[in-house]
């Protein structure tokens, strides 16, 4: 019998092959590639700390036993005004190219019919958005907005130019000017942000401290995540290692009184772009924490910082002259409970990239 059913260990090899077919890389189907995908699927979708038999990832199995669709699901614990909320984060939504047309709908419908209160995904492309909205899911526009802060605009412009064949000679000629401009800007940034460094101390944010701080700092939102020590350590380990050879920076910012002003977590990839996963601050410390982040990243040679919008930070990010853009990927949500959707659409939910798909990403190697 064909149809949608839970993903189990025995499906790993077939789903890995389907994943490779859909997201084929230049590396080709090497044995290492297959091994990596299989380990990834097991770790993220079968052995995650929230594993719940009633809320598992899904496959579409054809009559002959062939698997032609997969929808990765990670259960998450949240709370709404203190009451427990069961959430499901969807990722790696794939249908074999020969079977496109209604299989995606069937997989997603099976997810929406599940026992969770809320389904979400935050790195969805346009194809997923069409299917999601077709089943009465909605786009969370506020949380879909991205921001960028260019720390070395010259280098950023050069990397864009170098990526375009016709502009390569222009990059060659303008290179020295761009680097000089960056050096001047870096000096100005040191002066501008210097105050925040003098007035605040920083330390590496460990999982235990983050756990305590999350409780304190997220409690004023209608909807907030709930972690335990094990799940938070798992998320942080994946956040640092799941996306390549870059480095995860986790920084706790303290005022001179030793009071916690806030913290930030960002990942710097091999292109020296910093992907911000979480910024949290007391309302009166937001500028302090942002200044600290920009100065921390600037001192480490980061070319630009980029993040998904946390609605409460929109004014502070604007004050810091961040650029906002809205080209996707999208954050999509679905729930039968109107109050959950209301909380998200009015920006009253603590939903950073740490609560989303970032830690569910696949990387080769
Ligand atoms: C995203 C993906 C899984 C969707 O699966 P799919 O089988 O192509 O999707 P479906 O055909 O079931 O749904 C799309 C179609 O259903 C239609 N549709 C959406 N809601 C509908 C509804 N309620 N009733 C009827 N039709 C509906 C859409 O308009 C679309 O029609 P079209 O193909 O004529 O434009 C698939 O395209 C894929 O594997 N893409 C590559 C991998 C990828 O990008 N994954 C997403 C990562 S974020």
């Amino acid at each position: 019998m064909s149809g949608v059913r839970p993903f189990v260990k025995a499906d790993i090899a077939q789903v890995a092959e389907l994943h490779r077919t859909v997201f084929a890389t230049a590396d080709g189907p090497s044995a290492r590639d297959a091994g990596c995908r299989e380990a990834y699927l097991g770790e993220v979708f079968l052995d995650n700390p929230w594993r719940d038999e009633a809320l598992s990832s899904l496959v579409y199995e054809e009559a002959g036993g062939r698997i032609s669709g997969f929808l990765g699901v990670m259960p998450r614990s949240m709370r709404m005004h203190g009451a427990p909320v069961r959430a499901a984060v969807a990722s790696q939504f794939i249908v074999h190219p020969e079977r496109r047309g209604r299989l995606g709908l069937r997989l997603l419908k099976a997810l929406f019919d599940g026992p969770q209160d809320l389904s979400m995904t935050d790195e969805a492309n346009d194809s997923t958005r069409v299917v999601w909205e077709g089943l009465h899911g909605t786009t969370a526009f506020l949380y879909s907005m991205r921001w960028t802060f260019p720390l070395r605009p010259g280098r950023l412009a050069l990397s864009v130019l170098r990526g375009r064949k016709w502009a390569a000679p222009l990059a060659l000629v303008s290179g020295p000017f761009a680097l000089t401009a960056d050096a001047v800007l870096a000096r100005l940034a040191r002066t501008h942000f210097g105050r925040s460094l003098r007035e605040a101390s920083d330390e590496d944010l460990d999982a235990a401290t983050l756990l305590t701080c999350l409780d304190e700092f997220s409690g004023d939102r209608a909807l907030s995540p709930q972690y335990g020590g094990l799940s938070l350590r798992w998320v942080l380990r994946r956040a640092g290692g799941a996306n390549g050879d870059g480095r995860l920076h986790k920084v706790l910012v303290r005022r001179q009184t030793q009071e916690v002003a806030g913290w930030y977590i960002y990942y710097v990839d091999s292109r020296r772009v910093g992907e911000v996963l979480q910024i949290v601050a007391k309302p009166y410390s937001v500028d302090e924490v942002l200044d600290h982040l920009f100065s921390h990243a600037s001192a480490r040679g980061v070319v630009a910082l980029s993040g998904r919008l946390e609605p409460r930070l929109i004014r502070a990010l604007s004050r810091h002259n961040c650029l906002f853009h809205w080209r996707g990927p999208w954050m999509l949500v679905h729930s039968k409970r109107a109050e959950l959707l209301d909380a998200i659409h009015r920006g009253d939910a603590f939903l950073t990239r740490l609560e989303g798909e970032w830690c569910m990403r696949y990387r080769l190697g």
Side-chain angles (χ1 to χ4, degrees):
M1 269 250 301
S2 63
V4 177
R5 63 160 175 80
F7 169 60
V8 294
K9 205 168 176 190
D11 299 325
I12 288 183
Q14 272 209 72
V15 174
E17 180 53 25
L18 175 66
H19 194 271
R20 191 198 60 75
T21 305
V22 174
F23 297 118
T25 63
D27 304 63
S30 67
R32 180 169 152 263
D33 182 6
C36 281
R37 276 177 220 270
E38 289 181 17
Y40 156 76
L41 290 166
E43 183 192 351
V44 173
F45 298 106
L46 293 176
D47 298 328
N48 68 69
W50 292 279
R51 172 120 174 85
D52 176 351
E53 301 262 311
L55 191 47
S56 52
S57 298
L58 301 167
V59 293
Y60 186 90
E61 183 179 338
E62 304 284 355
R66 179 183 164 217
I67 290 176
S68 47
F70 175 74
L71 178 58
V73 177
M74 184 177 289
R76 284 291 193 113
S77 304
M78 297 193 180
R79 55 191 169 202
M80 174 87 181
H81 296 306
V85 165
R86 227 166 151 188
V89 182
S91 190
Q92 311 298 320
F93 186 22
I94 45 177
V95 167
H96 193 282
E98 289 163 7
R99 294 288 284 126
R100 299 264 161 89
R102 304 298 178 264
L103 277 206
L105 273 177
R106 293 178 68 171
L107 279 161
L108 200 59
K109 183 165 181 327
L111 169 67
F112 289 172
D113 287 343
Q116 71 279 17
D117 303 290
L118 171 70
S119 309
M120 55 176 265
T121 182
D122 69 336
E123 298 191 356
N125 61 14
D126 291 333
S127 323
T128 298
R129 193 174 163 209
V130 168
V131 187
W132 195 283
E133 291 191 338
L135 291 171
H136 309 295
T138 46
T139 302
F141 284 102
L142 261 180
Y143 291 88
S144 296
M145 186 182 272
R146 310 264 148 175
W147 60 268
T148 297
F149 185 76
L151 286 158
R152 286 175 169 69
R155 276 192 182 75
L156 193 63
L158 283 181
S159 71
V160 173
L161 289 178
R162 283 187 192 125
R164 288 169 174 68
K165 221 173 173 182
W166 59 267
L170 192 61
L172 207 63
V173 179
S174 53
F177 300 104
L179 298 185
T180 310
D182 280 356
V184 174
L185 282 171
R187 180 168 292 212
L188 286 174
R190 267 199 297 280
T191 316
H192 178 74
F193 298 130
R195 197 171 57 88
S196 75
L197 289 184
R198 281 193 301 279
E199 289 183 357
S201 61
D202 59 82
E203 61 194 57
D204 182 54
L205 176 63
D206 59 50
T209 312
L210 180 55
L211 196 59
T212 316
C213 288
L214 273 171
D215 263 351
E216 186 192 334
F217 282 69
S218 68
D220 62 341
R221 317 293 170 93
L223 181 67
S224 56
Q226 197 159 28
Y227 289 98
L230 183 77
S231 53
L232 194 56
R233 276 197 300 279
W234 188 89
V235 165
L236 290 175
R237 187 175 53 75
R238 289 269 334 152
N243 292 282
D245 303 324
R247 174 153 183 223
L248 189 73
H249 296 274
K250 308 182 266 74
V251 180
L252 184 77
V253 182
R254 284 189 194 274
R255 309 186 111 187
Q256 279 170 343
T257 55
Q258 289 308 296
E259 178 201 358
V260 174
W263 68 89
Y264 50 84
I265 301 175
Y266 71 103
Y267 178 86
V268 181
D269 66 17
S270 54
R271 301 163 304 146
R272 290 213 247 161
V273 171
E275 292 284 352
V276 178
L277 306 188
Q278 192 167 74
I279 305 174
V280 182
K282 291 258 166 68
Y284 49 85
S285 307
V286 176
D287 290 320
E288 216 173 316
V289 173
L290 280 181
D291 278 354
H292 204 285
L293 163 64
F294 294 162
S295 120
H296 189 274
S298 175
R300 280 152 188 82
V302 172
V303 171
L305 282 169
S306 182
R308 178 158 72 62
L309 182 69
E310 157 59 31
R312 289 213 179 167
L313 297 180
I314 196 162
R315 290 186 65 187
L317 291 166
S318 306
R319 274 199 300 279
H320 279 77
N321 300 315
C322 293
L323 309 168
F324 293 93
H325 39 101
W326 228 342
R327 295 185 293 263
W330 306 101
M331 173 148 164
L332 310 172
V333 288
H334 178 277
S335 177
K336 294 180 187 103
R337 292 177 51 184
E339 76 277 19
L340 284 173
L341 296 178
D342 282 353
I344 294 172
H345 290 307
R346 67 171 186 267
D348 196 10
F350 187 105
L351 290 175
T352 69
R353 288 165 97 181
L354 225 50
E355 285 72 55
E357 288 184 77
W358 179 270
C359 67
M360 299 162 79
R361 285 184 170 191
Y362 171 70
R363 83 164 172 111
L364 184 61

